[in-house]
Amino acid sequence: MLAGYAVHVEHSRGRRFPEPPHPYRNDFQRDRDRVIHARAFRRLEAKTQVFTRRYSDHFRNRLTHTLEVSQVSRTIAGALGLNVDLAEALALVHDIGHPPFGHAGEKALDAAMREHGLFFDHNLHALRIVEDFEQRYAAFRGLNLTFEVREGIIKHSHDYDPKEHPGLAEYLLDQRPPLEAQLIDLTDEIAYNTADLDDGYEAHLLSLEQIREGIPVFERFYREVEQIYPDAPHKLKFNEALKRVLNRFVDDLITNTRARLNQAGTRTLDDVRNHAERLAAFSPAVEAELKESKNFLYENLYFSSALAGEKDDAERVVGELFTFWMDHPKTLPHNYQEKAKEDSLPRVICDYIAGMTDNFIFEQYEKHCSVR
Ligand code: MG
């Protein structure tokens, strides 16, 4: 079933702390389950994807976004003969390092760190979560995930310069990640570029006319749907068109990646790793469509005046709390005060804030900042 260029679980480089095999689950299935049982995973439920204010309870949060990425990744991995268990584990863990308040929170946390000559990166943070912060097992710190899952956490969306990150040397930074990891960044794009249109439309921040005008690929499918279901309600025609857009992106990623693998004569995982560039990719036509959709979302949703207030709040809350704890480190929880003896105070505060949900950081803000 598995292609020669897939990651085969029996060839995994294994865990930091060797463990006996499990009777029913292979190592990647166990990693998937460990991610699902992690506290940081459960907190994704209360972290912003795009909307901090609850327009309605059926909008995506980071957890439901993660599930969508996982479901799309499994389909694509299966169609390409890749390791579905590994792709699933990587999809489920891909956003685990995100701070509260989505990208605004990430930006604010990074800005606060840069004042101390440091920075915040959600992939590096995710690795720290699974290696160190999660404490569930008596035998080791962290989740003791296999090499391939840790490597995918670091390399799925970003190429790190080995010179700038000597601490990551074990992750083969001069090689491409396996296809299972390469997929995740692309399925993430498919998921949010379609889901954010859906939520934006439901929130009445984007109109149907606006979407049809601004996103040609959507318009093409909408016209097709109008032919087939002329009398259907607008929302259902919208759903049908969006479903077709999503299918087009998924289908393109599968067929184009398959074509690239054939063209490159890819046979083994080493071929994937040593290829000059990533082999998982959209065709240029779909790449352009995704870009149009992304630009549309930036202009009309992410940077819209409707969401500007939420973004300002996010920056203020993260920035002021960070400063407060820099000035009053004794008010940090005891275990973070202990950590600050070994690590720099800004890093410890950053770790604390990054782990928070939207609700919890608002509570902290109320307690420490808003009355001053
Ligand atoms: Mg994501």
Side-chain angles (χ1 to χ4, degrees):
M1 291 295 279
L2 277 195
Y5 45 70
V7 177
H8 292 241
V9 68
E10 61 276 20
H11 300 149
S12 167
R13 292 174 194 229
R15 308 181 185 281
R16 280 199 198 290
F17 306 95
E19 296 179 48
H22 191 276
Y24 316 122
R25 294 173 301 156
N26 70 41
D27 278 341
F28 295 150
Q29 292 170 338
R30 288 175 91 180
D31 282 3
R32 171 201 61 202
D33 298 351
R34 283 177 193 196
V35 169
I36 288 177
H37 286 101
R39 278 171 35 156
F41 182 80
R42 293 198 295 277
R43 289 198 199 118
L44 294 174
E45 186 197 1
K47 291 195 180 204
T48 296
Q49 177 65 15
V50 173
F51 301 94
T52 300
R53 179 159 85 82
R54 300 302 299 165
Y55 281 82
S56 107
D57 282 345
H58 55 256
F59 278 30
R60 275 91 177 168
N61 55 48
R62 277 235 178 250
L63 180 64
T64 60
H65 158 73
T66 292
L67 296 175
E68 292 183 358
V69 173
S70 160
Q71 168 268 116
V72 174
S73 300
R74 292 184 42 168
T75 300
I76 296 170
L80 289 170
L82 298 173
N83 193 310
V84 174
D85 298 327
L86 176 59
E88 186 179 17
L90 289 175
L92 291 173
V93 82
H94 91 279
D95 268 352
I96 212 168
H98 270 284
F101 303 142
H103 287 286
E106 188 173 7
K107 229 176 85 194
L109 199 50
D110 186 57
M113 288 293 273
R114 288 193 188 267
E115 290 194 12
H116 303 278
L118 300 162
F119 65 94
F120 175 76
D121 173 302
H122 70 257
N123 290 338
L124 299 178
H125 188 70
L127 188 66
R128 287 153 62 77
I129 290 173
V130 302
E131 286 267 80
D132 187 21
F133 304 160
E134 282 292 325
Q135 292 184 55
R136 298 182 54 80
Y137 306 102
F140 41 76
R141 282 188 80 87
L143 304 180
N144 196 30
L145 301 176
T146 56
F147 172 86
E148 290 74 14
V149 174
R150 285 178 283 126
E151 181 198 20
I153 287 173
I154 287 300
K155 286 160 69 173
H156 72 273
S157 62
H158 187 74
D159 295 321
Y160 291 88
D161 184 345
K163 278 183 245 92
E164 278 172 43
H165 298 277
L168 300 177
E170 67 175 303
Y171 297 113
L172 318 171
L173 296 184
D174 53 339
Q175 295 182 7
R176 258 35 67 220
L179 290 163
E180 287 83 350
Q182 294 186 26
L183 275 187
I184 301 303
D185 200 39
L186 307 174
T187 51
D188 190 23
E189 274 191 51
I190 294 175
Y192 72 73
N193 275 301
T194 49
D196 294 350
L197 288 176
D198 189 26
D199 285 348
Y201 178 51
E202 284 259 313
H204 303 292
L205 297 178
L206 302 172
S207 71
L208 182 57
E209 292 67 34
Q210 215 180 350
I211 296 172
R212 290 183 60 180
E213 212 167 285
I215 305 180
V217 62
F218 180 88
E219 171 65 6
R220 277 202 323 268
F221 285 119
Y222 195 85
R223 280 169 187 250
E224 186 185 303
V225 167
E226 272 196 317
Q227 299 276 317
I228 310 171
Y229 306 108
D231 303 325
H234 284 310
K235 175 61 184 167
L236 294 187
K237 284 193 266 197
F238 172 91
N239 288 353
E240 287 289 337
L242 194 62
K243 182 187 87 177
R244 285 162 168 78
V245 172
L246 192 149
N247 282 342
R248 172 172 166 80
F249 292 165
V250 168
D251 191 53
D252 180 80
L253 181 53
I254 294 166
T255 48
N256 193 63
T257 300
R258 200 180 275 144
R260 286 166 63 84
L261 291 166
N262 281 335
Q263 213 164 31
T266 313
R267 300 254 171 282
T268 67
L269 177 57
D270 278 340
D271 292 344
V272 172
R273 287 187 172 286
N274 295 319
H275 198 73
E277 51 186 12
R278 292 176 181 233
L279 283 158
F282 297 107
S283 68
V286 163
E287 185 72 58
E289 287 168 3
L290 272 158
K291 204 161 172 218
E292 271 170 352
S293 169
K294 205 183 295 182
N295 290 342
F296 174 89
L297 284 164
Y298 270 96
E299 271 170 40
N300 299 292
L301 188 64
Y302 307 148
F303 291 157
S304 68
S305 53
L307 295 191
E310 294 186 12
K311 273 175 39 193
D312 292 346
D313 285 351
E315 278 167 32
R316 193 182 64 249
V317 168
V318 170
E320 285 186 25
L321 268 175
F322 196 102
T323 306
F324 173 80
W325 278 311
M326 283 302 295
D327 295 342
H328 306 90
K330 290 270 184 288
T331 62
L332 283 166
H334 180 71
N335 53 332
Y336 284 91
Q337 292 186 43
E338 286 299 303
K339 277 187 175 184
K341 290 175 184 164
E342 292 155 22
D343 222 336
S344 75
L345 182 60
R347 177 60 65 195
V348 170
I349 294 170
C350 177
D351 286 343
Y352 185 39
I353 291 178
M356 293 180 186
T357 58
D358 295 357
N359 322 333
F360 187 74
I361 197 170
F362 272 130
E363 265 174 37
Q364 293 298 305
Y365 184 76
E366 288 292 311
K367 186 168 154 192
H368 297 301
C369 302
S370 68
V371 278
R372 284 185 303 161

